Amino acid sequence: MSKLANFLRNLDLTPDEIAVRARLPSERVRMILEGRDANLVELRALARALKVPLRMFVQKNEDNSDLALLFRSTTASRPDLGVENAAAFVQAAISIMPKRQSPPEWLSGFEFREESYEEAERLADAFRMMFTPNRLDEPLYDLPDLVVNLGGVILGQLESSRFEGASVISDGYAFIFVSPRFAGRMLFTLAHEIGHLVAHHREGRSVVFDLASQIGGGRRYKSKSEAFVDSFASALLMPARGVGIALRQIRKSFHIQSDEVGDIEIICLARLFGVSFDAAALRCEKLGLLPRGGAISLSEILRRNHGSPEKRADTLGLPKRPTIIIPRVSQNLLKAAGERINDGKLSLGWVTDRLACSANDVFAARSAPEAARGSHH
Amino acid sequence: MMSSLRARLQRPLVDLIIDASSIINLDNAQALELVAGLSDRTIWLSPLVIGECKPTCAARIVQLEKEGLIRFVNPESVSAETFLSLLETYDLGEGETECLALSLGHPYVMCCDDSKARRIGTKLLGPERVIGSLGLLKSCVSAELISPKQAFDLYELMKKAGGFLPLVASEWFSQPD
């Protein structure tokens, strides 16, 4: 029997269901199931329909590895191409990067005690004290580079997935996956996943996948853990003193006399700290600058009256949000992959397929100046 | 000049399939049009290569295809079983595997700048059917489309952009194959 027929026969799907999903004639799918050879166009249609990479049709060992099974068990039974790709990414990265015996040393500098708001603030402050001691109150637009340069951290993007962020500890490396979205949202997701690394991941292998509703969700959290890491992310990106200093300057610049914090101040804070309006408003609420429920109310008013907080900001001519670059794949991994390609151990196509990046990303990492690479591992 | 022209006219037309690694290298040196101008080659690409390129490169490919200077292969001519067997056996990328599968079914010369894919291509197709973008630049020198110095400058642009290419000297481009 053909490899493809073998794979398809093991699915819990009828020929008609496969045909509908792949938009292929039922008769043709039946012929393929009986062992007739498909062509590459049909193969790609089937892979797309089944949400699996092409290599899944043949790579039994990789497919059933502990890591892939762990990823699938964490994300329940519904197929998710992003989860499969993230498992392949981690597996590929481990094979590319130098071996590590234990998770990044810097993680052991955090002593996690309990999932409380105060503890999230304390850990975020500790992170700032350890890694940005000279800019405790400033925005962290460079958080992607900063966290990679701490060592043992690899960033990737979570595409074609219902999940928005993920963090993984495996084989001594910490992996953070962020779904491609608006930059402010991605920065918050990154900080959220760092929160998981600091508080929830322990030795060995562990995986956390976060749905959009679990990140920056205000009071709609399904778990205490997610509320905790959101508080961490919020405090890390918008330190209390930094918010206070910025707010004073904003109010002075706009000659705002009112005692209450309004939409203009929050939009300015959001753009200054590189986060969304909702994230900035919730932070203000946590800091007691807005009444309880004020963040959601303000957000709803802006959406109703102006379309969105961003449109309101543009109408007022407020300063733009700075450019925040969250790479598809961190430079440390791309650089190591480039060395393996150069040695002829791996092919460029293998690397771009597994790391879900383009050949141009790999080329750019090789041509980037050494100083900008952040190639610690 | 006349002898070179005679040599060109005597050469058989070669079907050349170029993979993403070479296309990107050539584009980084703005040499796609130059190579497409080689009169003794018919250049073939997988439509998937477009997805690998920067938008400007993709636009150039589409334009060259419109002008009839390059052609797109038909992936329907690739057997899924052959493709999957190659993928499983050699552990290359999907694009590289597609190029190999196509070359097994048709006498293409495979142009690829990836060391591992070239090694496997040489094993399966023979060394005479595997070439790289530097080989194409050398052909452009032979065809008197550019000078060896110009070929070397293009090579340096490819290297500077991060291309995986061997170290060669300027003289290499004027040496016979």
Side-chain angles (χ1 to χ4, degrees):
Chain A
M1 190 186 299
S2 73
K3 290 176 174 57
L4 180 57
N6 200 33
F7 180 91
L8 296 176
R9 278 169 176 256
N10 283 322
L11 297 174
D12 194 19
L13 292 169
T14 66
D16 288 339
E17 284 169 335
I18 295 171
V20 168
R21 287 192 191 189
R23 297 181 186 178
L24 292 172
S26 286
E27 192 50 39
R28 183 68 187 140
V29 170
R30 283 197 172 78
M31 286 161 77
I32 292 168
L33 280 165
E34 284 163 13
R36 190 79 63 88
D37 197 5
N39 64 48
L40 191 50
V41 174
E42 291 168 330
L43 187 68
R44 286 191 174 124
L46 288 163
R48 259 196 314 275
L50 301 170
K51 298 185 176 173
V52 295
L54 287 180
R55 60 183 173 274
M56 188 77 105
F57 292 125
V58 285
Q59 287 186 341
K60 297 183 196 76
N61 292 340
E62 185 176 14
D63 181 22
N64 292 322
S65 70
D66 291 348
L67 197 63
L69 293 173
L70 175 64
F71 272 51
R72 276 175 228 146
S73 67
T74 309
T75 58
S77 56
R78 210 170 117 201
D80 189 293
L81 183 57
V83 171
E84 294 297 336
N85 286 340
F89 181 106
V90 170
Q91 213 140 27
I94 291 165
S95 74
I96 291 168
M97 297 294 279
K99 292 216 178 316
R100 287 179 59 94
Q101 299 305 319
S102 52
E105 296 76 24
W106 60 269
L107 280 175
S108 58
F110 295 93
E111 193 195 330
F112 168 64
R113 294 169 194 157
E114 57 172 0
E115 286 176 337
S116 66
Y117 174 70
E118 293 72 24
E119 177 68 352
E121 289 274 342
R122 187 189 71 77
L123 287 174
D125 287 347
F127 188 100
R128 287 262 186 176
M129 288 295 285
M130 274 193 259
F131 307 125
T132 61
N134 300 324
R135 44 194 191 111
L136 295 175
D137 306 323
E138 294 171 21
L140 278 185
Y141 311 136
D142 61 340
L143 186 61
D145 280 346
L146 193 154
V147 73
V148 169
N149 287 339
L150 294 179
V153 178
I154 294 170
L155 302 186
Q157 279 200 0
L158 193 59
E159 293 186 70
S160 313
S161 177
R162 65 183 187 277
F163 296 98
E164 186 151 332
S167 51
V168 179
I169 291 275
S170 184
D171 296 70
Y173 283 94
F175 293 85
I176 299 176
F177 293 95
V178 177
S179 181
R181 301 270 197 278
F182 143 71
R185 177 73 183 172
M186 289 173 77
L187 186 67
F188 195 88
T189 302
L190 175 66
H192 178 104
E193 299 305 330
I194 293 172
H196 276 308
L197 289 179
V198 165
H200 298 137
H201 288 286
R202 291 290 172 264
E203 297 278 329
R205 277 181 168 164
S206 55
V207 180
V208 173
F209 275 86
D210 292 311
L211 293 164
S213 60
Q214 291 168 310
I215 301 170
R219 266 187 283 282
R220 292 166 285 146
Y221 295 108
K222 284 181 185 162
S223 80
K224 202 175 168 185
S225 296
E226 296 303 334
F228 172 78
V229 286
D230 253 7
S231 295
F232 171 87
S234 184
L236 180 64
L237 295 175
M238 294 167 279
R241 211 174 72 137
V243 169
I245 294 167
L247 207 49
R248 211 164 36 242
Q249 286 173 345
I250 294 163
R251 290 169 70 85
K252 194 174 164 191
S253 300
F254 287 89
H255 308 292
I256 298 169
Q257 304 291 333
S258 159
D259 289 339
E260 291 170 4
V261 171
D263 61 345
I264 293 176
E265 292 104 301
I266 295 171
I267 292 169
C268 287
L269 281 175
R271 291 200 162 182
L272 177 68
F273 286 98
V275 298
S276 67
F277 176 87
D278 289 1
L282 282 166
R283 180 65 174 148
C284 287
E285 197 178 308
K286 287 279 187 191
L287 292 172
L289 300 166
L290 279 177
R292 197 171 156 79
I296 290 174
S297 301
L298 259 179
S299 178
E300 281 170 1
I301 289 168
L302 288 182
R303 278 183 175 80
R304 196 167 53 241
N305 295 344
H306 303 279
S308 73
E310 293 300 315
K311 283 183 184 162
R312 166 76 166 145
D314 290 340
T315 309
L316 292 168
L318 297 179
K320 294 279 180 203
R321 189 176 277 96
T323 306
I324 299 164
I325 298 167
I326 300 183
R328 267 200 281 193
V329 180
S330 51
Q331 295 282 301
N332 53 350
L333 178 54
L334 287 176
K335 185 173 170 271
E339 287 165 8
R340 301 292 300 274
I341 295 167
N342 208 33
D343 294 343
K345 301 273 190 336
L346 298 175
S347 79
L348 178 63
W350 187 96
V351 167
T352 56
D353 287 355
R354 299 300 197 288
L355 303 186
C357 63
S358 74
N360 281 308
D361 292 330
V362 183
F363 282 23
R366 273 164 61 80
S367 63
E370 194 63 41
R373 282 179 181 170
S375 58
H376 299 261
H377 45 67
Chain B
M1 178 73 96
M2 280 305 288
S3 62
S4 159
L5 184 62
R6 201 173 304 120
R8 268 161 65 192
L9 291 171
Q10 283 168 356
R11 267 189 217 167
L13 198 62
V14 172
D15 278 331
L16 182 77
I17 185 160
I18 310 185
D19 89 338
S21 62
S22 293
I23 284 289
I24 294 170
N25 276 334
L26 290 167
D27 184 64
N28 284 337
Q30 308 236 319
L32 268 179
E33 287 88 346
L34 171 73
V35 166
L38 280 168
S39 57
D40 55 352
R41 320 280 160 110
T42 304
I43 293 178
W44 296 86
L45 302 184
S46 163
L48 283 192
V49 168
I50 290 183
E52 277 285 313
C53 301
K54 289 177 187 163
T56 48
C57 173
R60 260 192 289 278
I61 291 172
V62 170
Q63 184 58 34
L64 289 170
E65 197 266 339
K66 271 188 192 160
E67 291 169 14
L69 291 170
I70 63 167
R71 298 178 193 182
F72 290 129
V73 294
N74 178 7
E76 284 185 357
S77 65
V78 177
S79 138
E81 205 56 18
T82 304
F83 177 87
L84 291 175
S85 290
L86 290 169
L87 197 64
E88 186 176 32
T89 309
Y90 297 108
D91 214 14
L92 295 171
E94 290 173 12
E96 294 149 352
T97 305
E98 184 182 4
C99 267
L100 267 183
L102 282 158
S103 302
L104 286 173
H106 180 91
Y108 288 112
V109 167
M110 186 175 95
C111 178
C112 172
D113 286 338
D114 180 82
S115 172
K116 185 178 177 187
R118 283 170 64 96
R119 200 168 62 236
I120 293 163
T122 303
K123 181 181 162 189
L124 295 179
L125 309 172
E128 68 287 353
R129 286 180 61 197
V130 179
I131 192 173
S133 53
L134 298 191
L136 288 182
L137 290 183
K138 202 176 195 181
S139 298
C140 292
V141 173
S142 300
E144 295 175 0
L145 297 176
I146 50 170
S147 68
K149 166 76 172 68
Q150 285 172 315
F152 186 73
D153 290 345
L154 295 174
Y155 156 71
E156 288 208 306
L157 285 174
M158 293 179 190
K159 284 287 274 186
K160 200 174 167 194
F164 294 91
L165 295 166
L167 287 172
V168 296
S170 174
E171 299 75 47
W172 183 84
F173 290 99
S174 50
Q175 288 166 2
D177 287 326

